[in-house]
């Protein structure tokens, strides 16, 4: 399971969390007294833009999707009142835009723009529009280049009327600064001032430059996660089964492995990873990255599968170039184009030749499209990875040819409409309509083809899951995954066996349960959180994960149960130009009950950006 999902779908229930703040803000304006009481010679202050949000929240409370849609249509059909002020017209347009936002109506963008035009560029409406582009729209990633311009427009608006401020200006400024920090949170430390907190300079015409850095220490059966490319390998039971079956096959020992050999294959190597990246944002082009990653994994590779107890270390160094850009292709869909090129240097992965270095090119493309279907959102993504691994120099001739290609597709259907959920009320279990952060139905499949000389390993993955997010401070996710592996043998000598080797065919089924508890919920704090010495905690999550791997075919040896607890924390350092820091740590126990092997799994990660 990925620890952090990039471009997570919008957390709509977060608005309800600060509805009380909005109500208090609006009340302060009302308590200030009628305009006439302030004196006829005093200019009328700007209208409070949060009245739009407060009214929309009040209208939608307890309503189903059809009722919200009917309210939107009624307001759209209403004629303007005679002599209606432009401020009142703008307010009505903003309320309609908020209703459209909830309904997934793609006319929301144009309606926010109408509110901005009618209000003469009210900064509070700029903020609402920017938040819509960052938090609701986008293909698993915010529409960064569009959102940042409107967040900056909100800041410039409130700073340009210091002589006649609105009561809401301080809040608009703080929320806009927070929005920009969230837009740039993955970038790391800003090195140039115009994309750095407190965002006092115009940012959109100028390129940004930032530095990301991270370290990871882990003891794990899975590969170290790669933040700048394809996700970590999570198929440890399949890998161990494939290794054991190959070791016992006619290609190596030709006899079943002993229990101690099976136990040796079920290993949790020590990982040490460092990562550094420079990111340039040249205006509307997107994000351009240059990075280096170094990884050392002790005892990761079996040196000779005739002797599976003997392992050697693996070293990896990557120099990469990357690109990503999220595009608003209205009215079709939002589109993310992301990809990278890497020059890879590694040693320790070639059987029999632990000191042989391999240098090769890796190409990866990751497109995503996303579109609202009513209030729900469908996202479809794909991945293609090509690794031009060079042939092995020396060794057994049948093992020399190498290469690898990975193809994957995934989808997420997020249901954002209010759900009827059971709740206890006065000791009685009843169904009540409740806002959530989405009921997610997700699935995916992948095929990984790798050549080892005359053997072609084919690994297939398929998964399906359901995630119910935002039940109060809790998220619940259940996922089922199917892992299969087979080896197609194409010998040089036509007299030898050719075809799918039954001695190396295997399959596993994994069931995973993830329970997340928000200890500090960043979506409930739209402004800058309090902090000391310029460090402001933004998020703390506790995550319980339990999983079980069952054998479907092949060896029973590596069936296992794994469970443990992770803590994720995020903070912004306003003293370091609004840089985001992400820290995670966790412990899990993995028990291979068929062979009696118990492993202690742990990790500590620190990221400045990610």
């Amino acid at each position: 399971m990925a620890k952090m999902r990039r471009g997570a779908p919008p957390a709509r229930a977060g608005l309800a969390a600060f509805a009380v703040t909005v109500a208090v803000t609006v009340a302060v304006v009302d308590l200030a007294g009628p305009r006439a009481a302030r004196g006829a010679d005093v200019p009328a202050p700007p209208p409070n833009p949060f009245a739009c949000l407060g009214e929309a929240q009040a209208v939608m409370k307890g309503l189903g999707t059809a009722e919200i849609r009917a309210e939107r249509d009624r307001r759209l059909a209403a004629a303007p009142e005679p002599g209606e002020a432009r401020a009142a017209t703008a307010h009505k347009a903003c309320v309609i835009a908020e209703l459209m936002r909830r309904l997934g109506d793609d006319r929301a963008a144009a309606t926010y723009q109408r509110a901005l035009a009618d209000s003469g560029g009210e900064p509070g409406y700029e903020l609402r529009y920017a938040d819509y582009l960052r938090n609701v729209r986008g293909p698993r990633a915010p529409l960064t280049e569009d959102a940042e311009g409107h967040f900056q427009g909100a800041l410039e608006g409130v700073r340009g009327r210091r002589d006649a401020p609105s009561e809401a200006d301080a809040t608009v400024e703080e929320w806009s600064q927070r929005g920009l920090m969230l837009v740039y949170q993955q970038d790391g430390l800003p090195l140039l001032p115009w994309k750095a907190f407190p965002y006092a300079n115009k940012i959109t015409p100028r390129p940004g430059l930032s530095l990301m850095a991270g370290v990871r220490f882990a003891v794990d059966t899975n590969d170290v996660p790669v933040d700048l490319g394809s996700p970590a390998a999570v198929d440890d039971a399949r890998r161990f089964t494939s290794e054991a079956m190959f070791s016992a096959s006619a290609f190596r020992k030709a006899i079943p492995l002993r229990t101690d050999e099976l136990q040796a294959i079920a290993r949790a190597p020590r990982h040490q990873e460092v990562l550094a990246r420079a990111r340039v944002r040249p205006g509307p082009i997107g994000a351009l990255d240059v990075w280096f990653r170094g990884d050392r994994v002790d005892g990761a590779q079996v040196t000779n599968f005739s002797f599976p107890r003997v392992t050697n270390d693996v070293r990896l160094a990557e120099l990469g170039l990357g690109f990503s850009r999220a595009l608003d292709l209205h009215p079709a869909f939002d589109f993310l184009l992301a990809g990278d090129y890497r020059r890879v240097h590694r040693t320790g992965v070639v059987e029999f030749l632990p000191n042989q270095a391999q240098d090769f090119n890796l190409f990866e493309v990751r497109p995503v499209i996303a579109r609202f279907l009513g209030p729900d959102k469908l996202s479809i993504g794909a991945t293609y990875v090509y690794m031009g691994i060079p042939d092995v120099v020396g060794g057994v001739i049948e093992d020399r040819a190498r290469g690898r290609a990975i193809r994957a597709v995934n989808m997420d259907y997020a249901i954002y409409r209010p759900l009827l959920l059971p709740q206890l009320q006065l000791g009685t279990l009843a169904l009540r309509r409740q806002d959530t952060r989405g009921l997610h139905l997700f699935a995916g499949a992948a095929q990984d083809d790798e050549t080892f000389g005359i053997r072609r390993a084919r690994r297939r993955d398929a998964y399906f899951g359901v995630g119910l997010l935002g039940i109060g401070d809790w998220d619940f996710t259940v996922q089922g995954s199917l892992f299969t592996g087979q080896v197609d043998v194409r010998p040089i000598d036509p007299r030898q066996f050719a075809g799918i080797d039954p001695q190396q065919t295997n399959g596993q089924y994994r069931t995973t349960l993830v329970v997340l508890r928000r200890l500090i919920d960043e979506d409930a704090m739209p402004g800058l959180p309090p902090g000391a010495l310029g460090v402001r905690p933004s998020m703390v999550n506790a995550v319980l994960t339990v999983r079980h791997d069952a054998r479907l075919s092949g060896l029973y040896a590596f069936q296992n149960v794994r469970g443990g607890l992770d803590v994720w924390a995020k903070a912004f350092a306003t003293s370091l130009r609004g840089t985001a820091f992400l820290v995670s740590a966790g412990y899990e126990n993995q028990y291979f009950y068929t062979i009696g092997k118990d492993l202690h799994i742990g990790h500590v990660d620190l990221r400045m950006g990610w």
Side-chain angles (χ1 to χ4, degrees):
M1 298 290 293
K3 298 299 183 187
M4 292 289 288
R5 293 184 179 177
R6 293 182 186 173
R12 298 189 175 188
L15 291 177
F18 60 82
V20 173
T21 303
V22 174
V24 170
T25 305
V26 175
V28 168
V29 177
D30 292 339
L31 289 174
R35 187 181 305 169
R38 298 174 184 154
D41 58 336
V42 178
N48 192 305
F50 291 106
C52 154
L53 177 59
E55 181 176 338
Q57 288 291 318
V59 166
M60 292 186 291
K61 186 176 181 180
L63 297 186
T65 301
E67 295 165 311
I68 298 173
R69 189 178 293 116
E71 180 65 21
R72 175 205 61 190
D73 294 342
R74 183 187 70 78
R75 290 172 180 256
L76 281 172
E81 297 180 5
E84 184 175 76
R86 295 190 66 184
T89 304
H91 169 80
K92 290 180 178 179
C94 180
V95 173
I96 294 172
E98 291 292 319
L99 299 180
M100 290 177 171
R101 170 185 179 131
R102 177 63 169 274
L103 293 168
D105 188 334
D106 58 11
R107 294 175 295 175
T111 310
Y112 279 119
Q113 292 169 5
R114 190 169 78 242
L116 276 168
D118 289 342
S119 68
E122 164 56 43
Y125 297 156
E126 289 269 23
L127 170 63
R128 295 307 305 147
Y129 186 26
D131 186 71
Y132 168 74
L133 295 171
R134 182 194 70 82
N135 199 37
V136 177
R137 292 288 300 278
R140 302 181 190 168
L143 296 174
T144 299
E145 287 71 24
D146 298 321
E148 68 177 358
H150 290 285
F151 279 125
Q152 185 66 26
L155 288 175
E156 292 173 1
V158 297
R159 290 166 180 170
R161 62 184 187 193
R162 294 295 194 195
D163 295 337
S166 163
E167 288 91 341
D169 279 0
T171 302
V172 170
E173 182 173 21
E174 182 180 323
W175 290 18
S176 298
Q177 289 174 324
R178 172 64 178 272
L180 284 169
M181 285 197 293
L182 290 170
V183 164
Y184 301 135
Q185 62 180 335
Q186 294 187 18
D187 294 1
L189 172 66
L191 300 179
L192 299 175
W194 42 82
K195 290 184 186 287
F197 183 86
Y199 311 105
N201 302 282
K202 272 198 170 185
I203 59 172
T204 47
R206 304 182 183 182
L209 176 63
S210 55
L211 176 65
M212 174 268 185
V215 295
R216 174 182 171 90
F217 302 96
V219 176
D220 204 337
T221 56
N222 292 314
D223 289 347
V224 171
V226 182
D227 296 284
L228 299 170
S230 53
V234 295
D235 59 338
D236 49 359
R238 175 175 58 190
R239 286 186 289 111
F240 294 156
T241 301
S242 297
E243 289 178 345
M245 296 182 76
F246 174 61
S247 180
S249 72
F251 291 95
R252 292 298 182 265
K253 290 175 67 70
I255 57 173
L257 300 189
R258 304 186 306 270
T259 298
D260 64 314
E261 293 174 318
L262 294 171
Q263 290 176 336
I265 286 176
R267 59 200 183 277
R270 184 170 62 252
H271 302 257
Q272 302 169 59
E273 180 194 32
V274 296
L275 179 64
R277 179 194 67 205
R279 168 167 289 180
V280 181
R281 288 192 177 275
I285 295 175
L288 303 176
D289 298 329
V290 179
W291 78 84
F292 169 80
R293 183 172 80 97
D295 189 12
R296 171 179 171 175
V297 191
D298 298 337
Q301 178 67 36
V302 176
T303 305
N304 179 346
F305 280 98
S306 296
F307 305 96
R309 294 174 58 87
V310 180
T311 61
N312 58 263
D313 301 342
V314 172
R315 301 290 185 271
L316 173 71
E318 291 181 346
L319 185 63
L321 301 172
F323 167 77
S324 64
R325 176 68 159 96
L327 297 168
D328 176 2
L329 300 183
H330 174 81
F333 44 72
D334 294 333
F335 176 65
L336 174 66
L337 178 60
D340 54 65
Y341 160 77
R342 300 178 230 174
R343 183 64 179 175
V344 180
H345 172 82
R346 68 184 188 185
T347 59
V349 299
V350 179
E351 187 186 7
F352 305 119
L353 303 169
N355 296 318
Q356 181 164 131
Q358 293 181 304
D359 295 277
F360 58 91
N361 299 319
L362 184 153
F363 301 90
E364 181 169 2
V365 180
R366 303 180 301 277
V368 179
I369 61 172
R371 177 176 173 79
F372 278 98
L373 303 175
D376 306 331
K377 190 173 186 179
L378 174 65
S379 302
I380 300 175
T383 301
Y384 176 76
V385 180
Y386 171 76
M387 304 170 68
I389 303 173
D391 293 348
V392 172
V393 178
V396 181
I397 188 171
E398 289 85 354
D399 290 343
R400 290 181 181 174
R402 296 298 165 100
R404 189 174 185 182
I406 303 171
R407 306 165 187 85
V409 63
N410 57 81
M411 63 80 64
D412 178 273
Y413 187 82
I415 300 172
Y416 289 122
R417 64 194 71 203
L419 303 176
L420 283 174
L421 298 173
Q423 288 195 348
L424 280 174
Q425 295 181 348
L426 301 176
T428 302
L429 189 64
L431 292 176
R432 188 171 73 86
R433 197 173 300 280
Q434 182 175 340
D435 289 325
T436 70
R437 303 187 187 207
L439 174 62
H440 292 257
L441 310 177
F442 57 91
Q447 180 170 306
D448 180 356
D449 295 325
E450 186 168 8
T451 300
F452 299 90
I454 64 172
R455 294 170 289 115
R456 183 182 183 185
R458 171 161 291 178
R459 310 173 187 97
R460 292 190 177 99
D461 302 352
Y463 65 88
F464 174 81
V466 179
L468 183 54
L469 313 184
I471 304 300
D473 294 325
W474 298 85
D475 294 350
F476 301 91
T477 303
V478 178
Q479 177 176 319
S481 304
L482 177 65
F483 301 103
T484 63
Q486 63 182 33
V487 175
D488 186 6
V489 181
R490 298 297 176 189
I492 298 174
D493 186 344
R495 295 171 298 176
Q496 295 179 334
F497 170 81
I500 303 300
D501 186 355
Q503 293 182 324
Q504 298 186 69
T505 299
N506 64 86
Q508 299 80 33
Y509 180 78
R510 172 175 296 170
T511 304
T512 305
L513 170 67
V514 180
V515 179
L516 181 148
R517 172 72 159 85
R518 295 180 186 82
L519 305 178
I520 296 179
D521 184 359
E522 69 176 353
D523 290 318
M525 297 183 298
L528 295 174
L533 301 177
V535 178
R536 302 171 182 266
S538 177
M539 175 200 78
V540 177
N541 293 339
V543 185
L544 173 68
T545 303
V546 179
R547 78 174 207 208
H548 176 252
D549 288 325
R551 174 264 190 194
L552 297 179
S553 62
L555 292 177
Y556 284 91
F558 300 104
Q559 297 185 120
N560 69 89
V561 176
R562 175 167 168 163
L565 183 68
D566 270 27
V567 176
W568 310 338
K570 184 171 72 176
F572 290 100
T574 53
S575 56
L576 286 176
R577 298 182 168 185
T579 303
F581 290 87
L582 182 67
V583 181
S584 66
Y587 169 80
E588 295 178 278
N589 184 264
Q590 187 168 3
Y591 181 55
F592 295 86
Y593 48 84
T594 304
I595 57 175
K597 180 70 176 285
D598 190 55
L599 293 174
H600 298 284
I601 309 298
H603 74 94
V604 176
D605 296 78
L606 175 62
R607 294 281 190 268
M608 182 179 72
W610 57 90

